[in-house]
Each structure stands twice: as C-alpha cells, then as structure tokens.
Amino acid sequence: MANPAQPPQTTEHGGGVWSIPVPIPDNPLGHTLVHLVETDTGPVVVDTGWDHPSSWQALTEGLRACGTSVEELKGVVLTHYHPDHHGLSARVREASGAWIAMHAADADVVRRSRETAPASWLLSLLDRLALTGAPEEEIAPLRAFAAEAGPDAVPGHHAALPDREIVPGELLDLPGRRLRAIWTPGHTPGHVCLHLEEEHPNPGTLTGHGRLFSGDHLLPTVSPHIGLYEDPEDDSVDPLGDYLDSLERVDRLRPAEVLPAHQYAFTDSRGRVAELLSHHGERLEEMYALLAEGPCTPWELAERMTWNRPWAEIPFASRGMAVSEVAAHLWRLVKLGRAEQVPESDPGRYRAA
C-alpha cells in the first residue's frame, strides 16, 4: 500500500497498522476505531463500524487516506458481534469479497438473532427485564412498540454471518503477520483481543511485547459494559467472572501498546487492568452492603447503587443496561457464595448469604 500524508482523522501507528475513526450516530462514545493491518496478501481490517451512510463514508474515505480502498480488503477480523463493530461487515464483504472471522460464541448470537423476528427478540429482552423487578408501567409502552417492531428495529439484527472461526490461542491466517487470538469473554461471550506478536515499530522507552487490539475489553478510561449474556436460561453463566478472568489473561501478555476500539491508543495496560479490577471489586462490595440491609430485586439494587448521575435522571433505555450490569455483579456474588435468592420470591429477590 502507498503511504500518503495522513489527514487528521486517520492515524498511522507504524509497522503497517492504521486506525480509522468510524462514527456511531447519536452515541456518546462518538466513534469506533477500525484498525487496518497490512499483510503479504493484502489489507485486513479489525472491526468495521456501525451500519450507517455516514459511517460507511468515513470508513471508505479513511481507507483511501491510508492508501487502499474497501475493494482491496481481503478480510474482516471481528473482536465481537456488537453493531458498532460488526455493522458494516456485510457491506464490506459485498464490495470486496473479503472473508469475515468471528469467535464461535458470538457467531452463534448472530445466527440466533437472524433467525428470530425483531419483535420476538425485543419482547424477550423485555421479559428478561421484567424478571429483574422492573415496574410494569415502565415496560408496558415498550411492549407496545416491540409488538409492532419492523425489520430495522434492532440494530445489527441482520448482520452478516461470518465465514471463518477465530480459534482462541491460534495465529490468524494472515501471511507476513503474527496475530494471535486471545479469548476475552465478558463484554460478550465470544469477545476476542488480538495480540500482534511483533516487535513494536517505535520501541523507544516502551516495555512489553507487541501490540494488542483490545476491542471493547480494555479501554483507556471507560469501563466496558458487563451485563448478562443472551441466554438467560443458562444458570452457569458468569459474565463478570469471565471478564475478570479475561483481564488477568490480558495482563499476562504485557503488551507494549494497546490499540482499543474506542477512545485512543495507550501504553499502560497493567495499570489499566489494575484499575478495572479495583472498580469491579468496589462495585461488588457496594452491592453486598446493600444486600446485607435487606432483600432486593436487581431493579431495586440498581435504584440504590451509585451511578454517574441520579437514578431518576437516567433514561429508561440506559436503566436497562444498568440493571443488566447489576445482574452480572449479582450473579458473581452468588457464584462466590456471598448472595442467594430468597426462596419462592417472584420477581426474584436476593439477600446476602
């Protein structure tokens, strides 16, 4: 690929790696950083961005600024299935014939989503919300909306099915590169980080080994959403436990630099892992203290937990994500033997064990 002068919206990280900010409409995160990786057989991208005309324009213009084009792409490596990462994959494949690779657990979510009508998918989510103790008067208007939901009501509902599987621990088939898949479940069941096991092109005073495309697993200042997975009937799931284990796994890699899917590249991976472990430890202790005061539903716990603004000011859609996070932390306490469900409570109430 050519190496033209880089406009402000793209960043060349050296060693055949670039990042392209692709906007996420009406989202406080602002954009997804799509990473372009040069290989001996042609360029490959890590994630693609949200499926929206402005996002597609940003991706195609960013690729041209990096000296290539969407038509030249040979592959798409996905960190996870969320629509701000997987959204444009189908359009990229249509334009280029590129293969699409994803971990099997997330590919299964994509497959089930495609096989379920949007209305049914939304109603199942609302049923799960009701089980947390959410007031029916808040859910009822959303049930009416969900019952009439059209094909575009769920972002990414018709996302492309991947045609390659990312196998944890294995090197991806990228000639001329050493990119190893690291399974990091928590944010999603099949989230992967990708460890570029090559000498950093600008070592300077950096310590560590290679670079890590961290997706949403490790961000410089934002704590990724850790909520319940898509299979609520599986009582063996423990998303927060998965996430904490995954943080430890990434910590052992000691990358010299982290290239996340949001915000900006950073170097202190060990410090950031320690901050996130401490954050979730504090959240668990806060929740345990509330449970010790008396039984609560997950919704009631969420109402009493500390957030970045008062509960009354949080929009209902965001409350759903907050309750999902509370539930994930609650399941962790149950797994640790520190909390238990009150027998025969409906909706389920939990207490300190």
Side-chain angles (χ1 to χ4, degrees):
M1 290 187 291
N3 186 22
Q6 300 297 297
Q9 65 267 29
T10 64
T11 301
E12 183 173 1
H13 296 280
V17 175
W18 292 257
S19 61
I20 303 165
V22 176
I24 314 170
D26 303 317
N27 188 294
L29 278 174
H31 59 263
T32 300
L33 289 173
V34 172
H35 290 97
L36 176 68
V37 180
E38 197 173 36
T39 80
D40 287 351
T41 53
V44 168
V45 288
V46 177
D47 294 330
T48 60
W50 192 271
D51 185 9
H52 187 271
S54 65
S55 308
W56 177 252
Q57 181 179 350
L59 177 63
T60 55
E61 290 180 356
L63 289 169
R64 285 198 294 271
C66 295
T68 186
S69 68
V70 67
E71 291 80 10
E72 294 178 70
L73 293 178
K74 302 301 181 185
V76 173
V77 181
L78 293 163
T79 59
H80 61 297
Y81 74 85
H82 284 164
D84 56 324
H85 298 256
H86 185 30
L88 285 171
S89 299
R91 195 163 179 184
V92 167
R93 181 161 62 189
E94 181 181 354
S96 64
W99 46 261
I100 300 173
M102 180 185 281
H103 186 282
D106 273 17
D108 183 58
V109 176
V110 173
R111 188 173 297 105
R112 286 188 285 116
S113 172
R114 289 170 57 94
E115 294 171 353
T116 306
S120 298
W121 187 268
L122 289 172
L123 287 170
S124 69
L125 295 179
L126 294 175
D127 287 341
R128 289 173 61 187
L129 195 57
L131 292 174
T132 70
E136 184 58 34
E137 60 267 22
E138 295 202 43
I139 300 178
L142 295 176
R143 289 194 191 280
F145 167 79
E148 304 294 330
D152 298 323
V154 180
H157 192 74
H158 298 293
L161 280 172
D163 42 50
R164 289 192 183 186
E165 180 180 338
I166 296 176
V167 180
E170 292 191 1
L171 290 171
L172 276 68
D173 184 16
L174 300 177
R177 309 307 302 236
R178 288 188 59 84
L179 190 64
R180 191 176 303 276
I182 312 298
W183 185 34
T184 50
H187 185 59
T188 70
H191 190 289
V192 293
C193 293
L194 302 150
H195 190 202
L196 191 60
E197 299 177 340
E198 302 167 10
E199 183 179 356
H200 195 287
N202 305 301
T205 59
L206 294 178
T207 59
H209 177 48
R211 292 179 280 181
L212 185 74
F213 298 103
S214 65
D216 282 3
H217 182 68
L218 200 61
L219 304 175
T221 67
V222 174
S223 176
H225 171 69
I226 308 299
L228 297 183
Y229 294 151
E230 278 64 25
D231 189 359
E233 297 180 359
D234 184 353
D235 60 7
S236 69
V237 300
D238 182 11
L240 181 58
D242 290 345
Y243 181 66
L244 299 178
D245 289 345
S246 298
L247 284 176
E248 301 277 8
R249 189 176 304 125
V250 163
D251 190 45
R252 291 192 291 270
L253 295 176
R254 303 287 194 270
E257 186 176 27
V258 179
L259 302 176
H262 302 287
Q263 297 191 288
Y264 49 84
F266 62 102
T267 56
D268 186 14
S269 65
R270 295 202 69 188
R272 185 60 183 141
V273 166
E275 289 174 352
L276 288 165
L277 290 172
S278 175
H279 165 73
H280 287 289
E282 291 170 1
R283 297 294 275 175
L284 288 169
E285 292 307 318
E286 179 185 11
M287 184 176 294
Y288 180 77
L290 291 172
L291 291 172
E293 295 175 3
C296 296
T297 65
W299 186 273
E300 290 167 341
L301 272 174
E303 291 178 316
R304 299 165 63 188
M305 293 285 288
T306 303
W307 304 100
N308 60 2
R309 50 184 157 166
W311 181 258
E313 297 178 11
I314 299 177
F316 186 80
S318 297
R319 289 184 185 184
M321 292 186 66
V323 173
S324 181
E325 287 204 5
V326 165
H329 285 71
L330 185 56
W331 285 194
R332 176 90 288 247
L333 287 176
V334 170
K335 296 292 183 183
L336 293 172
R338 301 185 67 196
E340 61 186 5
Q341 185 170 352
V342 177
E344 300 182 6
S345 57
D346 184 20
R349 290 180 178 273
Y350 293 81
R351 61 192 177 195

